[in-house]
Amino acid sequence: MRAGPSQEDIRRHNLGALLRHVHLGGPISRAELTAKMGLNRSTIMALTSDLTAAGLVREELPRETGRAGRPSLVVRPESSRVYVFAFDVGPDRLAAARVGLGGAILDRRETARRRGPFDLDELAGTLAGFARQMRRKTRPDTVCVGAAAAVSGGVRKDDGVIMFGPNLGAESVPFGEELGRRLGLGLPVSVGNDANLAALAEHSRGVAVGVRDLIYLHGDVGIGGGIITGGHLLGGHDGYGGEVGHMVVNPGGQPCGCGSRGCLEAEVGERALLEAAGRVAARGDTRANALSHDGDGAGRQGRDAVRAVVDAADRGDIVAQEALKRVGGWLGLGVANLVNIFNPEMVIFGGMLREVYLGSAAQVRSRLATNAMGPQRERLRLRTSALADDATLVGAAELAFAHVLADPLEVLARVTG
Amino acid sequence: MRAGPSQEDIRRHNLGALLRHVHLGGPISRAELTAKMGLNRSTIMALTSDLTAAGLVREELPRETGRAGRPSLVVRPESSRVYVFAFDVGPDRLAAARVGLGGAILDRRETARRRGPFDLDELAGTLAGFARQMRRKTRPDTVCVGAAAAVSGGVRKDDGVIMFGPNLGAESVPFGEELGRRLGLGLPVSVGNDANLAALAEHSRGVAVGVRDLIYLHGDVGIGGGIITGGHLLGGHDGYGGEVGHMVVNPGGQPCGCGSRGCLEAEVGERALLEAAGRVAARGDTRANALSHDGDGAGRQGRDAVRAVVDAADRGDIVAQEALKRVGGWLGLGVANLVNIFNPEMVIFGGMLREVYLGSAAQVRSRLATNAMGPQRERLRLRTSALADDATLVGAAELAFAHVLADPLEVLARVTG
């Protein structure tokens, strides 16, 4: 119930809105901006010259339009000049990318991560090293305007601390602070949950552009969720919203890492599938732990192991088919619950759930038909992630760009001193 | 990504914001408005004189302040002059109220409803009759600026049609249109889901003022939910968001009216409690249907029957205690799932769930401790509805006032012709 915005607020809003058009939609003519933003030509001209002076966009004559009359100048993001660092910390990989304004991944580094405890020193060191390598290759006139990391865990809204991340072996880790210190760029590192950021990425640049109500389900060792309702990411009171992996779908079912039983993650996660397919020993079997912490080269865990089950089922392996059927049934029940609760327009399967869904779509749809209410599922679309393994990195880049889009001139003034 | 607002948009926003302060917070001095809205004194004065001229507020000298200097005028809502009609259609009651700007219920009518099919003619006729009775008692200078109804069912966002309402016997009913026609006020009747509107009511005037992330659970024959995330009601793609009653908590459990089994509603709703307490025959027993459609005078169903179980448990009745324990366990599991998914600041138990929660708080909390993740439940507050049986009516009134608060002058100009 605050008062309306001041003239200065409006200018800032308009600058951000114009930059966002260019950042998300790519090169666009002034004439199109005038139409899309509902502003007059002189205002658009003033805004683009401010952004041009700041080095965020440039204006060019369009290629031959074939039309008579003076062509409208095209506004392009300064993609190779203005960039952010995006990081991803998953159970099985560490990745870093240099992403230009406009969203292009300009450079990237990646390494496998061995599952186990969270070694803050080593992790932050590796990622900062990647950033330094990429930075050394940039031209002198480039400027880094932000940095953000996607992590497989629950991130406290107030300070970006990873409060829980059982699949990373993390608990109460001030990761962003440490990575920021190591980067030495004088920039804070924003930290977000990987599924939340992947949901934002699909919403901004993936399969769900223009979709205001969506659920993104991310499978890794565990199951995470990123939920967008009415165009806004569901953050929750402390920032832990979207932890759909610990919704109980099967009371008394498989034991879960969280201490409970029958969570979606326990019934549908990597381990549940590999156990059902007889590819790792069942939980409770003392050999199980040994196996699960085994080297990952043997394909006994991780994305390759999941793909192997789906491929085997495709080739007619009955055990693999039954495993997918079982896991797909629980996945379908979880999705049906979420569809009833959220009435989304789209559900997106990402990470290893992409493979699981493709291998068990019939079970998922059958459960939806039984358990989701008719009107809720009538216009529902089920999709797989368009950005695939880049979704988390792309989402982290969007998080890093967020404050630039909120206040373009202030940020650039601060960064370039 | 539209452009920022025009001067006219800002004025409209400010008028609405000022009226909202007065409507929700009650009488307030110009000086306080200046501070709260961050506008200067002359702007506040201009806004209040516009609203005064429109007959929406009036300004008065405050009572003795005891302070020196000229006292700041107090702005009050024109509560007795400007009102809306609010309606509630529940499984067991029909209610109508005349609610003044500022939220006071000025007059009300209520009658019991016999469970059974939805008779649109009779229902709309009864409610319109209530409105006529109340209208006849108003002074000639009063003006009705809106009307809205809360219904126990899923309401399609686009047109307000009740698409499903098994506990009302309703399916694809154009209720708002018909009620609007019967009212004959030349006003559209907005229609909303009762749990959604009760959630808004608790958020605006009840136990959750200032809470931006909350889950309101409404128990009646069924279980409904109203969810507010980041200060916004979760509507979903078509308007059916919040149907938590059909989240499956116990796969293969009790049969549910929706055709599925083990839904929260089937395990925790009125019937589940009364069956567990041996007060109605179990489902599957052919006598059950006869009993459940029996007259409601005998206390065999409805709120009184639920209260009787809770009272019996209080008095030491072991069967009633076990029934509450069982139902409370499933309620707790459902709440834990929602807490993991939404990370809310508050969960509110309303309707008959108020009684059930008070009688089974230990089970609910114990399930939360087992099934909700630590960080999510750390700062969670569990509360019962403050508005009790008025929550749905109060929420309907807020829905009816919504367009007045969005654009105060336009609405009043249109209504008063």
Side-chain angles (χ1 to χ4, degrees):
Chain A
M1 290 191 290
R2 297 288 300 177
S6 68
Q7 285 302 311
E8 185 53 31
D9 291 336
I10 294 177
R11 177 167 168 268
R12 191 180 302 124
H13 170 94
N14 285 345
L15 284 167
L18 198 159
L19 188 59
R20 187 178 294 272
H21 269 293
V22 174
H23 173 61
L24 291 178
I28 181 170
S29 74
R30 278 199 203 160
E32 286 171 285
L33 282 169
T34 304
K36 286 202 175 181
M37 293 182 64
L39 290 170
N40 60 40
R41 285 170 54 186
S42 60
T43 307
I44 293 290
M45 201 170 80
L47 295 170
T48 48
S49 35
D50 283 352
L51 293 173
T52 303
L56 290 164
V57 304
R58 65 178 190 278
E59 295 184 280
E60 288 175 354
L61 276 171
R63 292 165 211 281
E64 188 55 60
T65 61
R67 276 193 256 164
R70 201 172 58 169
S72 178
L73 286 175
V74 168
V75 186
R76 296 176 175 276
E78 280 282 11
S79 304
S80 56
R81 186 177 171 265
V82 178
Y83 70 92
V84 295
F85 281 120
F87 303 98
D88 181 32
V89 181
D92 296 329
R93 78 159 183 184
L94 298 179
R98 196 167 72 81
V99 180
L101 186 66
I105 295 181
L106 304 171
D107 197 357
R108 65 188 298 163
R109 297 287 184 282
E110 192 170 323
T111 185
R113 175 178 180 267
R114 203 180 157 79
R115 292 186 188 176
F118 195 92
D119 186 331
L120 178 59
D121 249 20
E122 193 192 322
L123 272 172
T126 303
L127 293 173
F130 283 163
R132 263 194 308 277
Q133 287 170 24
M134 291 190 278
R135 198 148 178 251
R136 271 199 292 271
K137 290 173 58 188
T138 62
R139 291 199 319 253
D141 69 334
T142 57
V143 51
C144 176
V145 294
V151 301
S152 172
V155 178
R156 188 161 60 193
K157 192 166 63 176
D158 299 342
D159 55 11
V161 168
I162 307 175
M163 288 303 288
F164 54 94
N167 300 320
L168 291 179
E171 203 182 323
S172 300
V173 179
F175 175 64
E177 195 186 315
E178 179 61 19
L179 182 55
R181 205 178 59 72
R182 299 284 193 120
L183 284 176
L185 295 168
L187 287 170
V189 177
S190 305
V191 183
N193 170 269
D194 55 358
N196 284 353
L197 292 178
L200 281 178
E202 295 290 346
H203 181 61
S204 306
R205 303 181 178 278
V207 69
V209 171
V211 174
R212 292 173 56 80
D213 296 277
L214 70 92
I215 294 172
Y216 172 88
L217 295 174
H218 190 76
D220 229 316
V221 182
I223 307 283
I227 297 168
I228 290 177
T229 68
H232 299 284
L233 184 72
L234 168 62
H237 187 42
D238 308 287
Y240 311 129
E243 281 291 339
V244 301
H246 300 284
M247 164 172 61
V248 173
V249 290
N250 183 20
Q254 299 289 344
C256 183
C258 74
S260 173
R261 280 180 168 270
C263 297
L264 185 66
E265 173 164 321
E267 302 293 345
V268 175
E270 174 191 313
R271 174 150 202 153
L273 180 70
L274 299 181
E275 275 182 21
R279 300 191 174 216
V280 297
R283 278 161 276 199
D285 182 330
T286 46
R287 279 177 55 234
N289 289 314
L291 274 169
S292 76
H293 289 100
D294 225 7
D296 41 17
R300 276 208 183 116
Q301 61 183 16
R303 194 70 59 84
D304 290 341
V306 170
R307 263 192 214 110
V309 175
V310 178
D311 289 346
D314 266 350
R315 287 192 312 268
D317 178 328
I318 289 173
V319 176
Q321 284 173 349
E322 284 301 315
L324 271 172
K325 207 166 155 178
R326 180 192 153 84
V327 164
W330 291 121
L331 177 59
L333 182 62
V335 171
N337 282 350
L338 294 171
V339 165
N340 286 332
I341 295 170
F342 286 97
N343 181 205
E345 181 176 351
M346 188 182 284
V347 174
I348 305 166
F349 300 93
M352 76 99 182
L353 281 186
R354 197 173 173 279
E355 274 82 40
V356 171
Y357 170 69
L358 291 173
S360 66
Q363 273 68 44
V364 172
R365 291 189 177 275
S366 148
R367 274 293 204 169
L368 267 171
T370 314
N371 291 112
M373 301 186 76
Q376 263 94 326
R377 66 170 194 265
E378 208 166 70
R379 303 204 290 156
L380 175 69
R381 290 182 284 162
L382 302 181
R383 293 286 183 275
T384 55
S385 162
L387 301 166
D389 289 347
D390 284 346
T392 46
L393 271 179
V394 170
E398 292 306 316
L399 178 60
F401 275 121
H403 63 302
V404 184
L405 298 172
D407 194 354
L409 303 189
E410 198 275 331
V411 170
L412 212 75
R414 189 158 40 78
V415 169
T416 56
Chain B
M1 291 194 289
R2 295 288 299 175
S6 68
Q7 285 303 309
E8 186 53 32
D9 291 336
I10 294 178
R11 176 165 167 268
R12 193 181 301 124
H13 170 94
N14 285 345
L15 284 167
L18 198 158
L19 188 60
R20 188 178 292 271
H21 268 293
V22 173
H23 173 62
L24 291 178
I28 181 171
S29 74
R30 278 198 201 161
E32 286 170 285
L33 282 169
T34 305
K36 286 201 173 180
M37 293 182 64
L39 290 170
N40 60 41
R41 284 172 54 187
S42 60
T43 307
I44 293 289
M45 201 168 80
L47 294 170
T48 49
S49 36
D50 283 351
L51 293 173
T52 303
L56 289 164
V57 305
R58 64 178 192 279
E59 295 185 280
E60 287 174 355
L61 277 171
R63 292 165 210 280
E64 188 54 62
T65 61
R67 275 193 256 161
R70 201 173 57 168
S72 178
L73 287 175
V74 167
V75 185
R76 294 174 178 279
E78 281 283 10
S79 304
S80 56
R81 187 177 169 266
V82 179
Y83 70 92
V84 295
F85 281 120
F87 303 98
D88 181 32
V89 181
D92 296 329
R93 79 160 182 183
L94 297 179
R98 198 166 71 79
V99 180
L101 186 67
I105 295 181
L106 304 170
D107 197 356
R108 65 187 299 162
R109 298 285 185 283
E110 191 169 325
T111 186
R113 174 178 181 267
R114 206 182 155 76
R115 292 185 188 177
F118 196 91
D119 185 331
L120 177 58
D121 250 21
E122 192 192 322
L123 272 172
T126 302
L127 292 173
F130 284 164
R132 266 194 306 278
Q133 287 170 25
M134 292 190 278
R135 196 145 179 253
R136 272 200 292 271
K137 288 173 59 188
T138 61
R139 292 199 321 253
D141 70 332
T142 56
V143 51
C144 177
V145 294
V151 301
S152 172
V155 178
R156 187 161 61 194
K157 192 166 61 176
D158 300 342
D159 56 10
V161 168
I162 307 175
M163 288 304 287
F164 55 93
N167 300 320
L168 291 179
E171 204 182 321
S172 299
V173 179
F175 176 64
E177 194 186 318
E178 178 62 18
L179 182 56
R181 205 179 58 73
R182 300 283 195 120
L183 284 176
L185 294 168
L187 287 171
V189 178
S190 305
V191 182
N193 171 267
D194 55 357
N196 283 354
L197 292 178
L200 281 178
E202 295 291 346
H203 182 59
S204 305
R205 304 181 176 279
V207 70
V209 171
V211 174
R212 291 174 57 81
D213 296 277
L214 70 92
I215 293 173
Y216 172 89
L217 295 174
H218 189 77
D220 229 317
V221 182
I223 307 282
I227 297 168
I228 291 176
T229 68
H232 300 284
L233 184 72
L234 168 62
H237 187 43
D238 308 287
Y240 312 129
E243 282 288 340
V244 300
H246 299 285
M247 165 171 59
V248 173
V249 289
N250 184 20
Q254 299 289 344
C256 183
C258 74
S260 174
R261 279 178 170 272
C263 297
L264 185 66
E265 173 165 322
E267 301 295 345
V268 175
E270 174 191 314
R271 173 150 204 157
L273 179 70
L274 299 181
E275 275 182 20
R279 300 192 174 215
V280 297
R283 278 161 276 198
D285 182 331
T286 46
R287 278 176 57 233
N289 289 315
L291 274 168
S292 75
H293 289 100
D294 226 7
D296 41 17
R300 277 209 184 116
Q301 61 182 16
R303 194 70 59 85
D304 290 342
V306 170
R307 262 192 215 110
V309 175
V310 178
D311 289 346
D314 267 350
R315 287 193 312 270
D317 177 329
I318 289 172
V319 176
Q321 285 173 350
E322 285 301 316
L324 271 171
K325 207 166 155 178
R326 180 192 153 84
V327 164
W330 291 120
L331 178 59
L333 182 62
V335 171
N337 282 350
L338 294 172
V339 165
N340 287 332
I341 296 170
F342 287 97
N343 182 204
E345 181 176 351
M346 186 182 284
V347 174
I348 305 167
F349 300 94
M352 77 99 180
L353 280 186
R354 197 174 172 278
E355 274 83 38
V356 170
Y357 170 68
L358 292 173
S360 67
Q363 272 69 43
V364 173
R365 290 189 177 276
S366 147
R367 274 293 204 167
L368 267 171
T370 314
N371 292 111
M373 300 186 77
Q376 263 94 327
R377 66 171 195 266
E378 209 166 69
R379 303 203 290 157
L380 175 69
R381 291 182 282 162
L382 303 181
R383 293 287 184 275
T384 55
S385 161
L387 300 167
D389 290 346
D390 285 346
T392 46
L393 271 178
V394 170
E398 292 306 317
L399 178 61
F401 275 121
H403 64 301
V404 184
L405 298 172
D407 194 353
L409 303 190
E410 198 276 330
V411 170
L412 212 74
R414 188 158 41 80
V415 169
T416 56

